[in-house]
Each structure stands twice: as C-alpha cells, then as structure tokens.
Amino acid sequence: MHQDPQPNQFALLRQRRFAPFFWTQFLGAANDNVFKFAFTMLVTYRISVGWLPPAMAGLVIGAVFILPFLLFSATSGQIADKFDKARLTRMVKSLELAIMLIGTAGLFLKLVPVLLACIFLLGLHSTLFGPVKYAYLPQHLSERELTGGNGMIEMGTFVAILLGNVVGGVLIALPDDAWLPAAEAVALTCLALAVLGRITAQYVPATPSTEPGLAINWNPVTETWRNLQLARGNVVVYRSLLGISWMWFFGAVFLSQFPSFAKDVLHGNEHVASLLLVVFSLGIGVGSLLCETFSHRHVEIGLVPLGAIGMSVFAGDLYLASRALPPAELLTLSAFLAQPAHWRVLADLFALSLFAGLYSVPMYALIQLRSPPSHRARIIAANNILNAVFMIASSLIVGALLSAGFTVPQVFGLTALANLAVGLYIFLLVPEYLLRFVAFMLSRCIYRFRVTGDEHIPVSGAALIACNHVSYVDAVLLMAASPRPIRFLMDHRIFAVPVLGWLFRLAKAIPIAPRSEDPAAYEAALAAADQVLAEGDLLGIFPEGAITRDGTLGEFKGGLMKILERRPVPVVPVALSHLWGSFFSRIDGGRAMVRPFRRGLFSQVGLAAGAPLAPGEVTLPVLRQRVQALIQP
C-alpha cells in the first residue's frame, strides 16, 4: 500500500490513505478531552457529590479513564491484528457515538454515576483504537514517511487535547440562564464531534488484516503477560516501549502539577494554569513536526538522546527558574505575563515539551518499523499497558514526594535528574540509540552532510554496503545515512584509536586482520560477516582494506567476493566525497587527526548510493567502477 513519499508531512493531509484517519483520530482525542474536562469542572464547581469531593474529582476521573488500558489493551491488540483496521475504525467510532448518546442523557439529567460510566467507556474506546492507530500507519506509509506521519499524529493529538480542554472549559462556564446552558452545550458539542468522527471514519481506506487466522485469547491477564513477552522478543523494540512509557511518566509529572504549580508557585489564577497547558501542548506539537525536518525523512532514532538531554536540561532550569519566585496575590494572565521572570518559566516549559516531542516520535516510528507486521498491534497494545502502568506510578510517586514535604519545583528538579539516569540506562542497554546520536551530531553539527540515492539502501533484507574508505569516520557517516543499523567489517587496527575504537566496539563492528597476519582471525571475521547477512541485516565493508593515503580510490581486495561466495546478497555501491583533507582523513605525511578544524566547521561532505548489484553481477572491477562513478568532484 506504500506510495512514493510526499514532498513533506503536511502533503499527507491531501491523501486519502492518511487524511481521513488523521481527522478521525483528531476528533476522537478532542471529544475525549471536551467531555473529561467539562465533567471535571462540573463536579468541582457546579454539582455537589458527597462520594466524589472536588479535590479528588480530577484524580478519580483520570484513574477511571486509564483503567480500560490496563484491562483491555491485550485484547484490543489481538483484535487489531486479526481484523481489517478500517472496519475496526468504523466500529470504534460507532461505539463512541453510542457513548455520547448516553453521555448526552447524563449531562442533561446531571447524573454523575452515568457520566463516570461514560468516562470508563471513553477509556475503552481509546483502548480499542490505540493499537489500530499505530498499526495502521506502517501499512500505508513508507519508511521515509513514517517519521512525518507519526509527527503529524502526535501533533494532532496534543492540539486536540489542548482544544478539547479549552472548549470544555469555555462551555462548562456558560451561565445556567444562557439560551443553551452549560451541561447541554457540552452534550451537544460532544455528540457533534462523535458524528463528525464517524463520518471521517467512513473514508478510511481498507487496511487488511495482518494475522487473519489469529485465535483471540479473551483472558486479559494471560494475554497481557503474553504481549509483554512478545515485545521482549526484540530488545530494541522492548527498550523503546520502556522509553516511550518513561516519556509518559515524565509528562504526567508536569501535567498533573500544572494547577498547583500555577497557583502555589507562580501565584497565578486558573487562566495561568490553562496557559501552561497551552505552552506544553504547543511544544509537543512543534517538536513532533520538527522530527521529519531533522531526520531527513528517515526514522532517525539519533533524535532520542537529543530529546532526552533537552528534557533534562530544561526541566532542571524550570526548577531553578521557579524555586525562588516571591509570594504574591493571585495574578491575572496579563499581570503574570508582565513579569520577565515568568517568561523564563514559559520558555523552559515550551523547550522541555519540544524535546519530549523529538524524543517520542522516532521511538513510535521505530516500533512500527521493527515490529513484525503480524504482531504489530499486539506490541502497540503492550506499549499502552506499560504507558498506563508508568502514568499510575508517576501519580503515586509524585503524591508520595509531595506528602513528604517536597515542593512542586523540587519534584520537577528530581524528575530532570531521574530522566538523565533513565536515559543513560536505556542508551547503554541499546547502544543503537547512542550510536545514531553520535552519527546525527557528526553529520549535522561538524559537517554539512548531503545524502543522495539513500533510497537504494534497503529498509529490509540482507545486503552488503560497499564504500570507499577516506577517513576514520566513514562508518559513522554511513550509519547516519542508513535507515537501519549497519554492522561493519573493519581493520582490527582501527579499534585501537581512542574514542572511535570504543564507539565501533559498541556498534559491534567485526575486526578483521589480513590473512597473512592472522589466518584464524581472518576466517572468524568472514564467518561473523556471513552470520550478519544470514540474519537479514546490513553488512558494511570497505573493499580497499585501508584508509586512502592520497585521496584516490584504491584497488578492491578479494574479501568481498569471499563473503558473496558464502552468502549471495545484493551489493549496494556507496561513495563518500569531500572528506579527503578533513581532520579525520590521512594527510600531512599519512597522519590523521593532527590539526583540528583545518577545513573549518560545517564543511560540505557528500554520500551517494547507487542501485544495488545482483550477486551474479558483482566483480571487483565492476564494483570499483560503480563506486568511482559515485564520487563527487
């Protein structure tokens, strides 16, 4: 179902494969939040309910909404894998319409138990739709569109949450003697949003089942455990699930404390609390949209460590900016904005949420890309379960800290430190994130890196990447250009280079020694290279066998042909250009890394990939000619 990539992510909104689904998701998220926020305000300010005191209303309503994620995510994941996702989308939106009819009656009659039951059912609606949402995208978007598509979905979700809260707040504040009283206005608005969502769902294109023969296990306990075990089968995917769940933990800390932070720390009224939500939502939306720009339209997980660093830096500065604000009477929004110190607080909040967007979108895209299609929805369901657990843990831990006497700014500061620790733990457990971060920073911050022909690097299946060897960072730049990890066969001497040697060991590069020096090591390296290809991964090789000493392309060695004899796979010719004369290349009598910045910062470097050669077409002269033709003058 994949089509050619669009010029940018916004162009997807003109495509039927994306636009109806986007608006269906947007309207559903907006509806949830209009109803939840209006209901919370209703029982806080307008209706006195003995068993639901105002101080507990937000917590109880939030817990009731999250409960279905724990109970039914495992089942919803199976359903999304078994049935057509377009059909499921229409069924879920029909359920939403039925829920809103019940909710309309509850709002007109002001029946709090009925409204609380609707909150549970809306949570069930979101639980059923969650696996459909993230399993749908990979069936309609190419690898080069996944980051942009996920960015649009995340942006749309947070904008919908923001608008839902604003609209819900405005409607519930209507006077009872208005031509349309508050509760009735909320009811009719939610019903209208449900109708619009059902209409847009009708245009979602067919999305066939990925596992039609799946026998559904209706036991949520055993299936939840099975889903978590299924996710653990792929280390990178499972650690990414944990990373996303941590982001929800992190975000829940701030979102849950906005009211008390605004009132007790910033000394602002309820409009200031709303402003914090607006700034946070805008930051997430902007960060989500920037992912495609920074990633060059690939799933760029190098953004994840960058996002984690930014989250900690600005959460820490938010603590510093807010810990010593002087006490004052409750400030109106205009009075709050008139004080320069408050602009630093808003800037920190916007920046930390922007980096949270950079952090989360590539993780979602990676999970979609790396999960087996037959199990993708169930792995997304496992993600939803973990998200719910982490958000509940966030509420409990923050509550315990506040009860122990910590202030809200101190909680933010501790969260910043915890984020650094968790990020370091995840990135050391899954070095691929750290490696892509180094490649991302090198290719964006040291060089101006221009990549052409990267569509020839396959996003699935085994292939051999053959590249000229100009510098000590060739492998890092290849990693930056590739849509997925590359295992490199590299001269054993490069592992002795400080820092780079550690980096290549972290990347699980395969050291190879000349056959004349160590025949056993040579054969072991070829066997390891064969295993990489046998597992369907990419193998990178520099056929010259050593870094060029004069900037020209050397003769290709025979090791490449020995690899192909064992495992015939396509060979992708790749050439690096304009690296000769840089700090990392051999110059000045054959030495490298002796004169920093000798070409200045941001010097242009090029990488060009050519069309793959079938194994039977490959000879050393032909391959060398293909690589030579790709080197830019």
Side-chain angles (χ1 to χ4, degrees):
M1 290 191 183
H2 296 163
Q3 298 181 13
D4 292 336
Q6 300 302 308
N8 59 62
Q9 58 205 36
F10 292 101
L12 291 171
L13 289 175
R14 299 193 297 270
Q15 300 290 321
R16 188 185 168 192
R17 61 196 172 114
F18 184 81
F21 194 83
F22 173 87
W23 291 115
T24 301
Q25 152 70 16
F26 181 90
L27 292 165
N31 206 4
D32 284 351
N33 285 277
V34 170
F35 192 89
K36 280 194 300 178
F37 192 76
F39 180 36
T40 304
M41 294 299 101
L42 189 68
V43 296
T44 301
Y45 292 103
R46 300 208 171 196
I47 301 178
S48 179
V49 183
W51 52 271
L52 188 61
M56 294 294 294
L59 181 63
V60 170
I61 290 170
V64 170
F65 185 80
I66 290 174
L67 184 59
F69 285 90
L70 291 173
L71 297 178
F72 305 117
S73 283
T75 304
S76 65
Q78 297 176 86
I79 293 171
D81 275 335
K82 183 176 177 64
F83 298 104
D84 183 293
K85 294 168 187 62
R87 178 185 170 197
L88 287 175
T89 299
R90 289 188 272 276
M91 291 175 64
V92 169
K93 302 317 285 185
S94 296
L95 172 63
E96 181 189 15
L97 189 55
I99 295 167
M100 285 300 102
L101 287 171
I102 298 171
T104 297
L107 284 165
F108 270 79
L109 299 174
K110 296 183 174 58
L111 298 175
V112 173
V114 172
L115 296 175
L116 202 57
C118 286
I119 291 292
F120 179 85
L121 291 173
L122 284 174
L124 175 62
H125 154 268
S126 296
T127 302
L128 292 171
F129 191 60
V132 174
K133 176 172 70 173
Y134 288 110
Y136 171 92
L137 293 179
Q139 288 187 251
H140 290 272
L141 304 184
S142 69
E143 184 272 337
R144 294 169 65 84
E145 296 172 313
L146 263 185
T147 295
N150 276 281
M152 291 291 290
I153 290 291
E154 291 303 297
M155 177 276 298
T157 299
F158 275 90
V159 170
I161 290 171
L162 172 61
L163 291 177
N165 280 279
V166 170
V167 171
V170 169
L171 293 177
I172 205 64
L174 291 173
D176 287 333
D177 58 355
W179 72 273
L180 187 61
E184 288 81 349
V186 171
L188 295 178
T189 299
C190 290
L191 192 59
L193 288 172
V195 170
L196 287 174
R198 182 60 184 84
I199 292 172
T200 58
Q202 196 63 34
Y203 294 94
V204 173
T207 310
S209 163
T210 52
E211 189 73 3
L214 178 66
I216 294 179
N217 173 18
W218 296 101
N219 185 325
V221 177
T222 58
E223 188 59 29
T224 294
W225 178 251
R226 186 183 300 174
N227 279 8
L228 292 173
Q229 292 299 111
L230 188 67
R232 292 188 67 177
N234 184 316
V235 173
V236 173
V237 167
Y238 183 65
R239 301 299 183 193
S240 299
L241 297 183
L242 293 177
I244 289 172
S245 297
W246 170 255
M247 192 275 292
W248 283 103
F249 179 105
F250 181 92
V253 171
F254 293 90
L255 288 169
S256 67
Q257 295 308 306
F258 280 166
S260 59
F261 183 58
K263 180 181 178 183
D264 301 330
V265 179
L266 302 179
H267 313 295
N269 62 14
E270 62 272 16
H271 297 297
V272 174
S274 297
L275 176 64
L276 299 182
L277 177 62
V278 169
V279 170
F280 188 88
S281 299
L282 288 176
I284 289 280
V286 171
S288 299
L289 292 177
L290 284 176
C291 285
E292 185 184 58
T293 301
F294 290 156
S295 67
H296 289 179
R297 311 200 68 197
H298 280 302
V299 177
E300 180 50 83
I301 62 173
L303 291 172
V304 176
L306 179 64
I309 292 168
M311 288 159 66
S312 283
V313 167
F314 290 103
D317 193 65
L318 183 62
Y319 158 70
L320 296 174
S322 59
R323 63 176 178 165
L325 291 174
E329 297 295 327
L330 284 186
L331 302 171
T332 64
L333 184 59
S334 58
F336 174 82
L337 293 173
Q339 298 188 20
H342 294 154
W343 284 93
R344 177 181 172 188
V345 170
L346 294 176
D348 283 332
L349 190 60
F350 177 81
L352 76 87
S353 57
L354 183 150
F355 278 98
L358 292 178
Y359 173 94
S360 63
V361 168
M363 279 194 172
Y364 276 116
L366 180 74
I367 290 168
Q368 294 163 0
L369 190 64
R370 300 282 182 87
S371 299
S374 59
H375 298 77
R376 190 180 285 134
R378 278 168 284 174
I379 289 175
I380 296 298
N383 177 61
N384 291 341
I385 295 166
L386 289 171
N387 290 350
V389 170
F390 273 64
M391 283 190 284
I392 292 169
S394 172
S395 298
L396 295 175
I397 292 171
V398 170
L401 289 172
L402 294 174
S403 299
F406 286 86
T407 65
V408 173
Q410 287 172 339
V411 169
F412 291 169
L414 290 173
T415 304
L417 293 175
N419 187 65
L420 278 179
V422 170
L424 184 63
Y425 175 71
I426 291 175
F427 304 142
L428 289 179
L429 278 179
V430 188
E432 186 180 341
Y433 282 108
L434 190 58
L435 293 166
R436 291 298 294 241
F437 174 64
V438 172
F440 175 83
M441 296 302 290
L442 180 69
S443 61
R444 308 300 199 283
C445 299
I446 295 179
Y447 296 119
R448 286 184 294 126
F449 191 41
R450 185 171 182 270
V451 179
T452 57
D454 52 327
E455 67 274 9
H456 295 306
I457 302 175
V459 296
S460 62
L464 201 155
I465 311 296
C467 184
N468 60 328
H469 208 358
V470 189
S471 77
Y472 282 100
V473 293
D474 294 348
V476 180
L477 292 172
L478 276 168
M479 279 190 272
S482 174
R484 60 191 177 116
I486 302 175
R487 292 279 302 278
F488 287 95
L489 196 65
M490 303 178 73
D491 190 314
H492 69 105
R493 288 178 285 262
I494 203 169
F495 291 85
V497 176
V499 181
L500 288 175
W502 170 80
L503 189 68
F504 294 138
R505 279 190 289 271
L506 197 63
K508 298 181 181 177
I510 302 165
I512 186 169
R515 191 171 195 172
S516 57
E517 289 183 21
D518 192 337
Y522 178 81
E523 291 299 326
L526 292 184
D530 181 68
Q531 183 62 31
V532 169
L533 297 173
E535 293 172 358
D537 294 327
L538 296 178
L539 177 70
I541 186 170
F542 301 101
E544 296 164 271
I547 296 173
T548 179
R549 291 180 177 273
D550 58 9
T552 62
L553 184 66
E555 294 300 318
F556 284 7
K557 310 295 183 184
L560 181 143
M561 299 306 297
K562 292 184 179 298
I563 293 171
L564 287 179
E565 287 171 8
R566 295 188 182 206
R567 185 79 51 181
V569 296
V571 179
V572 181
V574 175
L576 288 161
S577 304
H578 307 137
L579 266 173
W580 177 248
S582 70
F583 172 67
F584 295 104
S585 68
R586 292 189 184 277
I587 202 169
D588 295 335
R591 293 176 296 143
M593 297 182 287
V594 291
R595 282 202 344 246
F597 310 119
R598 61 187 172 204
R599 279 177 42 181
L601 286 174
F602 308 118
S603 59
Q604 184 170 319
V605 170
L607 181 145
L613 291 165
E617 299 176 321
V618 179
T619 65
L620 293 181
V622 167
L623 182 60
R624 185 180 181 279
Q625 184 181 18
R626 291 290 184 94
V627 172
Q628 180 70 64
L630 291 169
I631 297 176
Q632 301 163 12

